[in-house]
Amino acid sequence: MSARPAPDWLTQWEYAHRGLHGPGVPENSLAAAEGAMARLMGIECDIQMTADLVPMVFHDWELSRLTEAEGLVSEHSAEALEALPLLGTDQHPPRLTTLLEHVAGEVPLLIEVKSLPGHDVGPVCRMICVFLIGYPGDVAVMSFDPDVPKWFAGHAPQITRGLVGTDSYENGFEGVWRSPEALAAAQPDFLAVDVRDLDRPEAAAWRAGGKPLLTWTVRSPETRATGLALAHALIAEGEGLA
């Protein structure tokens, strides 16, 4: 873990998972960000890289679930992606820079960098870092891949960094967050742990050590109760919202 104290704002907010989305308001859209800001919630969002190395606010590796296009995000240019309607609405995938300009520090941002085991995270981390230096608001980067917070620890330690953890979601990084070696390399300021795994002793030990523990994805009254009991801050959506 990082030896420095984490910023207080991390645990003073509830975060809208992929923005405050729902019917007619797609996830990770500017409309979802506006909804979160109107509700005075922080925003959790996801980053994928385009073929021309532009960080886009988009969750999936592939386009088909959220747009009428096919293929990988990484196979398309940022301009082409910006033209795609999201889920048949007037919303489109925004660039990270567009989201930052839109939020402008009004609420905090948690930026999850999508990765795969063995992925070279350097290019996306460098681009995100360029845009975050000088950003006027509270912002943190995080990832399931410990190489992401490790990169920021080595190249931009002033930016708050976190490690996302799960043992229940299959993405190639199951259990990594519990590895002492991964934690030592990543030097995270906070953990964001799957709500289904909050009862693990490693999560309790992290919180007992005075470090911020966030949890995702809170989608029901039951998981909300678990998160409130065992974590410092919630990343929530749908019926998991207050």
Side-chain angles (χ1 to χ4, degrees):
M1 71 175 69
S2 170
R4 66 183 182 183
D8 291 340
W9 63 263
L10 267 174
T11 58
Q12 294 172 348
W13 292 78
E14 182 165 326
Y15 301 89
H17 185 236
R18 306 179 196 171
L20 197 61
H21 60 92
V25 181
E27 64 184 57
N28 279 321
S29 65
L30 293 183
E34 290 169 357
M37 288 188 287
R39 193 161 170 165
L40 297 180
M41 296 183 69
I43 298 165
E44 184 270 348
C45 66
D46 305 283
I47 295 298
Q48 294 276 6
M49 282 286 269
T50 66
D52 47 351
L53 301 181
V54 175
M56 298 293 292
V57 183
F58 201 85
H59 178 271
D60 296 2
W61 294 94
E62 299 190 1
L63 294 167
S64 57
R65 181 176 68 88
L66 297 168
T67 77
E68 294 184 354
E70 299 291 335
L72 299 172
V73 174
S74 60
E75 296 173 338
H76 296 72
S77 69
E79 184 176 3
L81 292 171
E82 285 180 304
L84 294 175
L86 287 169
L87 298 176
T89 69
D90 63 354
Q91 296 291 300
H92 304 267
R95 301 178 188 226
L96 174 60
T97 51
T98 304
L99 178 66
L100 293 174
E101 291 168 1
H102 207 75
V103 176
E106 185 174 331
V107 300
L109 286 166
L110 300 178
I111 299 173
E112 183 188 336
V113 182
K114 308 307 287 187
S115 186
L116 295 169
H119 191 63
D120 178 9
V121 302
V124 64
C125 290
R126 280 191 291 272
M127 291 303 299
I128 291 172
C129 182
V130 167
F131 300 138
L132 294 189
I133 296 297
Y135 177 69
D138 295 325
V139 63
V141 294
M142 61 185 191
S143 182
F144 288 98
D145 188 341
D147 283 345
V148 170
K150 177 182 177 181
W151 189 96
F152 279 92
H155 296 86
Q158 69 272 37
I159 296 174
T160 303
R161 56 191 182 268
L163 183 63
V164 186
T166 187
D167 286 82
S168 301
Y169 173 56
E170 295 182 4
N171 65 351
F173 294 106
E174 301 96 310
V176 170
W177 68 281
R178 295 186 287 107
S179 162
E181 293 77 16
L183 287 172
Q187 300 180 53
D189 297 308
F190 67 97
L191 291 181
V193 174
D194 191 327
V195 69
R196 296 168 291 183
D197 302 310
L198 276 181
D199 59 353
R200 287 188 174 268
E202 294 88 352
W206 178 269
R207 183 173 181 177
K211 304 295 283 186
L213 179 64
L214 281 59
T215 192
W216 57 273
T217 301
V218 174
R219 292 190 172 103
S220 67
E222 294 76 18
T223 54
R224 184 174 185 84
T226 298
L228 290 173
L230 300 178
H232 293 109
L234 312 183
I235 302 170
E237 66 175 49
E239 294 182 359
L241 297 167

